[in-house]
Amino acid sequence: MSILVQDVSKVYQSGEVQILALRKASLEVPDHKVVAILGPSGSGKSTLLNVIGGIDRYDLGSITVAGETLEALKDSQLTEFRRKHAGFIFQQYNLIPTLTVEENVEVGRELSQNPLDMKEMLMKVGMWDKKDKFPSQLSGGEQQRVAIARALIKNPEFLLCDEPTGALDEETGKKILKLLQFVNKTYGTTVLIITHNQGIGEMAHKVIRMSSGEIVEAYENENPIAPEKVTWA
Amino acid sequence: MILRKTIPRTIKEKKFQYAGVIILLMLAVMLYVSLSMAITTLEERNVAFKQDYKQETFHWMSSQPLSGAEMSELEKKYDLTLEERSYQDINTDDTTTLRLFNKTEEVNIPYISEGEMPQQLGEVAIAKTFGDKNGISIGDTISIGGTEVMVTGYVFLPDYIYMIEQQTDLLSDPSQFGVGVTTSETLEAVKGTEQHQTLGWNTSNEVPDELRSEVNNRSTLLQFVGHDDNARIEFVESEIEGAGSLITTLPLIILALSLAMVLLLLKRRLELQRKEIGTLMALGYRKSELRRNYLGYAYVIGLTGTILGIIVGAALSLPLSDLYANYFNLPALSRFDFDPMVLVIGFIIPLVLLLILTTFVINRRLKTEPLTLLRPKEISSGKKSWFEKLPWFNKGGFIRRFRLRLLVRSKARSFYIFLGVMFSTVLLVFGLITFNSMDRLVETTYEDIQTYDYAVHYSSLQTDPTSGGGSPYTMAEVKVEGEKVSLYGVEPDTDFLKLISDGELLNERLNDGAVVSRPFAAIHGVKDGDSITLTNSFNDDEKKVEIAGVADVFIGSSLYLPHEEVNAFLSYPEDAYTSVWQDEKPTQTDNVFLIEDKQKVIDSFESTSGATRNSVIGMSVFAVLIGVIVLTLLTNLIVEENSPSISLFKVMGYHDKEVSKLVLSVYTPIVFVSYFISIPLASVVLEQSMNSLVQQTGFIFPTDVAWWMVVIGFVVIGLTYWMSLALSKRKLKNVSLEEALKKQQD
Ligand SMILES: Nc1ncnc2c1ncn2[C@@H]1O[C@H](COP(=O)(O)OP(=O)(O)O)[C@@H](O)[C@H]1O
Ligand SMILES: [Mg+2]
């Protein structure tokens, strides 16, 4: 089991009020799968993804990812954990505006001892012919492709995507989903996708539904469909 | 690291901001390096010349020369080297005097920088500055006292580094006075009165305690001057010492200002890139890697600024050294005359300080959790400070509140604007005061107070009545609290000395006590009504006097008392005098030791005022330059930080002019408040520093601020501010309408 989340709780102190962002959440994700995390806004999806990816801490429970028990790691060890195992994709792409496409991917490549090939990576995400462009010269979908390449080139075990299609239209969004599925198939990367688009669940091996910090439903799809067939909502 | 590529690209994108801080840093380093190199050059040359050419420890003049046997006895007893030297003052034309010495072998050894040492009858070497100013060069023949002599070389004398005719002269003016050396035979061949002096040197460079009285017992001493009291030697040393504080203070202030600007800029950069930093942290970049990357900005700014500063500073030190060479006659004895430590300090200190401070700023930012960095910042900046909660804050329309909030929210910006204006103002006012002081110093001291044209000093006490309207007085050197003071015994009703203070004549007060000069009051820290004790250096007699007034005499530590009182104190006959003030040019020169021609003094002041005026102009340009850079940088940052609001105003239909009024003019009151606080501050600071230097310089500048300085300063600072606003308005114009929408998205 590559990701194991056991009874994890997280409280946010927001002024006087306490917000329980995660309530005893438990989850198992096998290797090489695509997982969709669904749920309304504020239900704790991002919090769950962030604690799994090691960019946030939790208050109770235990998380084991790729053999590492996260609550036992110091901040610097957590950095090494992310460096080795995790790749992040954000809704806002977060590319470095003063670097070209290729250079942005290079930012990810430098983190790894045995990275993937740059040309192959850029060809796979379909950005090879635009490798010398700056982010401001690209569309949203193209920028997200670059962000995916940046996360993938270090060949991580997990790709953690927080609403990767949230800022994209249907056509571009589906292309990105297709790319993520392709990545999962080609490199065996475990992909966690947060979305409030119900339809996206149909392309995942496993679907998790969250509400008010709790995992209220978890099921597996026998036959995940192709992204282009997803009902876009 | 690929991230390194972002640095030159970011700098290029914000080239004006980065160029601004680099120039500031460069100016600080340049100022330090150029001044220090010039001063250390002066110092190294002075030390080398002094040691290698045996600068005198003291010299004396006596009524009768000592015999050879007596001299060797003294040499043995006090472990000294003594040597006789003769000289004549030769008028080469109406206003010019050449003091020609015979060359010495053991003390004050002449150094020939070009040409040959005079060997034969009819050969002389002269000071190069004197030659330059009077159009005499090597190979020329000049006529001295009716004899034709040839100039064979340029000479430097270790006891005429500051080339003044009399010890009391304030300014050296090589167009009027210079020195030269020749052989004893040539000197004897020149018709004129020959003066003799004895030069003394010892290894410790200290005047033996008993020597003075012992010489006085063997022959009557007319003059005994230790090197500490010899302005021709001492002045260069006090200049080196005095410049030391200027060299460090001014560049340090500019350095502090530029470091503050760099940190401001870097903080802003880290704020702008918070999302980027959060992303990189999430990707797994280590803090040490990120720190190294962001330190790159400090390296670029620091290295460019310091290296440029060193290059420009080193180049600038050459004309500065030349300027000094006009004042101080010091030969270039070695090739590298400056202290190489200057370069090391000018490079290391700013760079290290910059790196330490930026590391500090970067570390603070890197402490933030990656998730916090990835979230937009709005939540935290939405809080109101206690100040904004005050009831009066919320009165008035939204524009008033917006502007007030701008002021309060950017406290650091407001503070730096305040400091920048203050620095420029102080520098400017320094310049204006100095500009004005030279004239006032001359006018008050030499025209309003000393109304005589000539002062004739006799080599012995006179008792004969003076002829033709002269005013006799007694002058002597006494000590007050161990410091030398010139004591004047004057007739209170004399027409030749009007002791004025703020337009009021103090001569009458001489009957109640002593009137003192401004430098005296500053050195001894005394005012009206205080008492002081005078000590006669020759016999330790003491006299207690009360101070009845401080006159506007800005030069020399002097004390004035009634004539009889001084004579009584010095045990002189009642009607004796040493000197006479008069209007006519003295004709008979029997017994005359020295004639002071006041017009010459005034002329030499005028001739140096050109240099002063230039340095004042330089200082003002500097002040304006720094002001423009600092203010432009700050207003630029303010526009940048407020671009969402600015864009919103534009979307709402405000014109650029209205927006710039709204945003930028908020700081106008700060500029003017700072200006009006800085004016008295500049005056006080200048007065304090003058007072602390008066012991070495012997003069005080009038430091009052005249109304016209306030007006000129106001115009200059106003223009400076207006210029930086104009530069920032361009930036404001370029803020796009989409900015408002873009910022709200993320
Ligand atoms: N830094 C924070 N401070 C306070 N509350 C937070 C913070 N981050 C998230 N929350 C709260 O935690 C809950 C879960 O948030 P999140 O995981 O972002 O939900 P989702 O991603 O499903 O929209 C929400 O109620 C949110 O308001
Ligand atoms: Mg979320």
Side-chain angles (χ1 to χ4, degrees):
Chain A
M1 215 45 73
S2 83
I3 298 177
L4 187 61
V5 180
Q6 292 173 295
D7 293 331
V8 167
S9 296
K10 161 121 188 138
V11 181
Y12 278 119
Q13 192 75 40
S14 182
E16 301 289 283
V17 279
Q18 290 191 337
I19 300 163
L20 252 179
L22 290 177
R23 300 170 197 244
K24 292 196 145 208
S26 295
L27 172 68
E28 288 175 13
V29 179
D31 277 335
H32 319 306
K33 299 287 185 215
V34 175
V35 181
I37 305 174
L38 302 175
S41 191
S43 57
K45 305 184 295 291
S46 295
T47 308
L48 180 64
L49 199 77
N50 291 340
V51 294
I52 291 173
I55 51 173
D56 206 357
R57 297 281 191 174
Y58 41 96
D59 300 304
L60 289 172
S62 174
I63 300 178
T64 309
V65 184
E68 307 265 18
T69 307
L70 299 187
E71 65 267 23
L73 301 184
K74 290 188 297 185
D75 277 357
S76 60
Q77 292 169 317
L78 219 47
T79 302
E80 296 303 318
F81 161 79
R82 294 197 297 267
R83 196 180 175 103
K84 245 195 228 140
H85 305 292
F88 282 91
I89 310 287
F90 307 95
Q91 184 178 1
Q92 291 300 328
Y93 331 126
N94 292 356
L95 297 179
I96 295 176
T98 44
L99 294 180
T100 62
V101 166
E102 187 175 4
E103 287 162 351
N104 261 291
V105 180
E106 182 72 28
V107 169
R109 206 176 89 100
E110 280 184 350
L111 293 170
S112 173
Q113 306 284 358
N114 49 341
L116 302 176
D117 182 67
M118 172 68 75
K119 183 170 180 185
E120 184 196 323
M121 196 69 245
L122 283 175
M123 299 278 267
K124 293 243 155 83
V125 299
M127 293 302 294
W128 176 248
D129 49 341
K130 293 196 172 166
K131 68 178 168 50
D132 293 324
K133 292 241 180 323
F134 284 93
S136 59
Q137 299 167 298
L138 302 177
S139 70
E142 287 170 329
Q143 288 191 53
Q144 195 60 297
R145 286 165 185 276
V146 179
I148 291 171
R150 177 177 69 184
L152 270 181
I153 195 157
K154 63 178 182 181
N155 201 6
E157 282 124 288
F158 315 95
L159 207 52
L160 306 167
C161 318
D162 196 339
E163 309 200 26
T165 58
L168 302 175
D169 60 71
E170 177 171 349
E171 195 189 333
T172 331
K174 282 184 175 171
K175 279 186 186 154
I176 293 294
L177 291 177
K178 205 176 161 200
L179 179 62
L180 289 174
Q181 196 178 58
F182 170 79
V183 161
N184 167 262
K185 280 195 182 129
T186 323
Y187 301 107
T189 318
T190 306
V191 179
L192 273 67
I193 305 173
I194 290 183
T195 177
H196 36 226
N197 189 334
Q198 300 283 340
I200 292 178
E202 298 162 25
M203 63 164 273
H205 298 112
K206 184 166 183 165
V207 178
I208 289 168
R209 193 176 298 281
M210 294 191 71
S211 174
S212 314
E214 278 182 290
I215 295 176
V216 289
E217 193 185 355
Y219 60 87
E220 271 159 50
N221 271 338
E222 293 298 317
N223 290 309
I225 60 168
E228 47 271 50
K229 299 211 181 96
V230 161
T231 17
W232 199 263
Chain B
M1 261 202 309
I2 189 81
L3 283 177
R4 197 157 292 152
K5 285 200 177 167
T6 59
I7 294 173
R9 287 178 195 168
T10 307
I11 290 179
K12 209 174 140 202
E13 197 183 305
K14 306 268 173 198
K15 46 186 169 297
F16 288 115
Q17 290 178 2
Y18 286 91
V21 291
I22 287 174
I23 290 173
L24 273 184
L25 188 62
M26 184 199 87
L27 289 178
V29 175
M30 178 198 90
L31 205 63
Y32 173 77
V33 168
S34 59
L35 292 177
S36 299
M37 270 174 80
I39 282 291
T40 56
T41 301
L42 200 64
E43 193 172 8
E44 303 269 314
R45 285 180 182 176
N46 187 44
V47 169
F49 194 38
K50 193 175 174 148
Q51 283 171 356
D52 300 352
Y53 291 80
K54 300 242 174 89
Q55 185 184 71
E56 66 178 45
T57 306
F58 55 86
H59 74 256
W60 78 68
M61 291 172 94
S62 53
S63 54
Q64 234 71 64
L66 299 188
S67 70
E70 280 177 308
M71 296 263 281
S72 16
E73 193 186 327
L74 287 175
E75 283 187 319
K76 254 206 207 98
K77 184 170 173 194
Y78 294 103
D79 191 17
L80 297 169
T81 306
L82 295 177
E83 188 172 11
E84 294 279 355
R85 188 169 70 170
S86 308
Y87 68 86
Q88 287 197 35
D89 278 352
I90 297 149
N91 290 332
T92 51
D93 62 50
D94 266 359
T95 55
T96 317
T97 306
L98 175 67
R99 183 165 293 169
L100 199 57
F101 294 91
N102 70 308
K103 49 181 188 180
T104 48
E105 307 285 337
E106 290 179 276
V107 186
N108 293 339
I109 305 165
Y111 170 81
I112 299 286
S113 60
E114 282 171 68
E116 305 290 333
M117 183 72 93
Q119 302 293 354
Q120 286 163 19
L121 191 67
E123 289 184 352
V124 297
I126 57 168
K128 186 169 193 312
T129 46
F130 179 78
D132 288 348
K133 282 277 152 69
N134 290 287
I136 308 168
S137 31
I138 297 174
D140 288 359
T141 307
I142 52 171
S143 159
I144 50 170
T147 317
E148 297 281 311
V149 293
M150 196 180 73
V151 178
T152 57
Y154 291 133
V155 71
F156 290 88
L157 278 178
D159 67 327
Y160 275 83
I161 292 168
Y162 193 55
M163 213 162 59
I164 44 177
E165 191 168 358
Q166 296 149 41
Q167 288 291 349
T168 48
D169 284 353
L170 200 61
L171 295 167
S172 152
D173 183 0
S175 66
Q176 293 188 354
F177 174 78
V179 293
V181 295
T182 184
T183 59
S184 304
E185 302 81 62
T186 314
L187 196 60
E188 268 159 33
V190 179
K191 290 192 291 274
T193 20
E194 202 164 297
Q195 309 268 8
H196 303 280
Q197 51 184 194
T198 308
L199 312 176
W201 179 89
N202 66 4
T203 37
S204 66
N205 204 28
E206 269 168 43
V207 184
D209 288 337
E210 307 292 310
L211 182 68
R212 187 182 175 134
S213 48
E214 179 152 2
V215 177
N216 199 29
N217 289 341
R218 289 170 191 259
S219 167
T220 312
L221 263 186
L222 296 175
Q223 202 187 33
F224 187 102
V225 184
H227 68 97
D228 280 343
D229 301 322
N230 191 341
R232 297 168 187 137
I233 293 173
E234 192 50 30
F235 199 70
V236 64
E237 281 167 22
S238 53
E239 174 71 20
I240 290 166
E241 215 173 294
S245 51
L246 179 76
I247 284 171
T248 41
T249 321
L250 202 56
L252 264 184
I253 294 176
I254 304 176
L255 181 65
L257 215 55
S258 61
L259 288 181
M261 290 296 134
V262 175
L263 294 184
L264 213 62
L265 208 61
L266 207 79
K267 259 173 120 166
R268 168 88 191 128
R269 175 94 336 249
L270 292 170
E271 190 52 49
L272 279 173
Q273 297 191 347
R274 53 183 289 138
K275 245 185 155 167
E276 223 171 282
I277 299 170
T279 308
L280 291 169
M281 282 176 157
L283 284 177
Y285 271 88
R286 300 183 188 114
K287 280 183 186 170
S288 56
E289 290 167 333
L290 293 176
R291 185 184 312 121
R292 216 177 322 132
N293 177 54
Y294 284 99
L295 267 180
Y297 289 99
Y299 273 108
V300 172
I301 295 169
L303 285 174
T304 331
T306 49
I307 291 175
L308 278 177
I310 284 176
I311 294 171
V312 179
L316 246 164
S317 80
L318 298 177
L320 260 176
S321 285
D322 285 349
L323 203 68
Y324 272 131
N326 282 328
Y327 286 94
F328 302 113
N329 291 272
L330 283 167
L333 293 176
S334 64
R335 227 155 69 81
F336 286 104
D337 287 332
F338 65 91
D339 185 351
M341 269 310 280
V342 169
L343 299 185
V344 178
I345 292 172
F347 181 69
I348 299 280
I349 296 212
L351 199 61
V352 167
L353 269 178
L354 187 65
L355 290 178
I356 290 175
L357 290 172
T358 39
T359 307
F360 195 73
V361 168
I362 293 168
N363 278 353
R364 256 188 32 189
R365 169 89 306 169
L366 291 181
K367 266 205 193 103
T368 321
E369 298 294 323
L371 262 188
T372 318
L373 291 173
L374 282 166
R375 250 193 310 266
K377 205 196 164 194
E378 307 318 322
I379 313 154
S380 60
S381 61
K383 260 192 220 144
K384 283 185 179 178
S385 70
W386 62 269
F387 190 79
E388 290 168 69
K389 285 179 191 155
L390 296 178
W392 70 270
F393 191 95
N394 291 311
K395 277 198 200 120
F398 95 96
I399 286 184
R400 186 186 117 95
R401 263 178 283 161
F402 173 81
R403 287 162 54 105
L404 269 174
R405 191 157 293 150
L406 208 60
L407 263 184
V408 176
R409 290 262 167 96
S410 46
K411 284 188 280 286
R413 310 285 180 279
S414 311
F415 182 65
Y416 286 132
I417 286 183
F418 188 86
L419 280 189
V421 171
M422 180 173 267
F423 180 79
S424 296
T425 307
V426 168
L427 216 57
L428 199 65
V429 171
F430 271 22
L432 291 172
I433 289 179
T434 317
F435 197 81
N436 191 37
S437 289
M438 292 298 274
D439 289 342
R440 266 206 63 196
L441 196 107
V442 173
E443 264 169 39
T444 319
T445 307
Y446 293 120
E447 284 166 25
D448 298 346
I449 294 183
Q450 302 178 355
T451 51
Y452 57 88
D453 286 334
Y454 297 93
V456 183
H457 300 274
Y458 293 95
S459 50
S460 59
L461 280 182
Q462 305 289 303
T463 44
D464 303 339
T466 54
S467 55
S471 174
Y473 65 99
T474 299
M475 192 193 153
E477 216 156 64
V478 296
K479 296 219 160 154
V480 172
E481 295 167 338
E483 296 291 335
K484 272 196 176 173
V485 170
S486 303
L487 173 64
Y488 289 84
V490 303
E491 306 292 345
D493 59 356
T494 180
D495 282 332
F496 292 113
L497 185 75
K498 305 279 182 205
L499 295 168
I500 293 169
S501 167
D502 275 337
E504 190 196 345
L505 192 64
L506 303 181
N507 284 29
E508 282 303 310
R509 294 205 202 163
L510 284 172
N511 299 318
D512 309 328
V515 173
V516 297
S517 69
R518 290 269 206 111
F520 182 99
I523 291 173
H524 300 283
V526 291
K527 52 180 193 323
D528 266 19
D530 291 351
S531 295
I532 44 132
T533 306
L534 309 177
T535 311
N536 184 337
S537 322
F538 282 98
N539 55 17
D540 287 340
D541 278 358
E542 291 195 343
K543 178 182 173 68
K544 199 169 162 173
V545 292
E546 189 170 310
I547 292 173
V550 179
D552 289 342
V553 176
F554 294 105
I555 302 161
S557 180
S558 334
L559 187 137
Y560 304 89
L561 278 171
H563 197 171
E564 317 89 78
E565 216 176 317
V566 169
N567 281 352
F569 173 52
L570 298 170
S571 338
Y572 291 170
E574 201 182 327
D575 53 354
Y577 57 91
T578 60
S579 321
V580 175
W581 286 314
Q582 59 191 57
D583 276 337
E584 302 87 50
K585 194 175 164 91
T587 41
Q588 68 93 18
T589 51
D590 291 350
N591 237 338
V592 169
F593 166 60
L594 208 152
I595 295 166
E596 194 184 313
D597 180 345
K598 212 183 63 188
Q599 194 51 45
K600 271 191 166 183
V601 179
I602 295 173
D603 287 349
S604 63
F605 254 106
E606 313 272 276
S607 75
T608 48
S609 63
T612 314
R613 253 150 244 239
N614 283 344
S615 59
V616 166
I617 291 168
M619 207 150 151
S620 313
V621 170
F622 207 72
V624 171
L625 189 64
I626 288 181
V628 169
I629 294 175
V630 170
L631 292 180
T632 309
L633 259 176
L634 289 168
T635 46
N636 227 282
L637 278 181
I638 288 160
V639 170
E640 201 178 279
E641 279 171 347
N642 289 289
S643 53
S645 317
I646 290 170
S647 174
L648 206 62
F649 280 125
K650 285 187 178 180
V651 170
M652 282 156 69
Y654 282 83
H655 291 294
D656 285 349
K657 250 198 187 142
E658 292 169 314
V659 180
S660 93
K661 225 180 184 171
L662 216 62
V663 177
L664 289 174
S665 62
V666 175
Y667 298 92
T668 311
I670 294 185
V671 171
F672 293 122
V673 166
S674 174
Y675 176 73
F676 284 109
I677 289 178
S678 307
I679 292 225
L681 183 86
S683 171
V684 169
V685 169
L686 196 60
E687 192 178 336
Q688 292 301 320
S689 49
M690 290 282 357
N691 283 352
S692 70
L693 282 175
V694 65
Q695 206 135 336
Q696 287 154 27
T697 58
F699 65 88
I700 269 194
F701 272 173
T703 54
D704 335 301
V705 179
W707 65 269
W708 60 266
M709 297 183 195
V710 180
V711 174
I712 290 185
F714 190 82
V715 170
V716 173
I717 296 291
L719 278 177
T720 307
Y721 180 54
W722 178 80
M723 221 148 101
S724 55
L725 280 192
L727 285 169
S728 289
K729 267 180 198 159
R730 280 204 355 223
K731 188 172 177 85
L732 192 138
K733 261 198 188 118
N734 292 336
V735 173
S736 70
L737 296 181
E738 293 108 68
E739 192 93 24
L741 312 166
K742 222 166 63 194
K743 284 276 156 152
Q744 279 175 342
Q745 245 174 27
D746 50 34

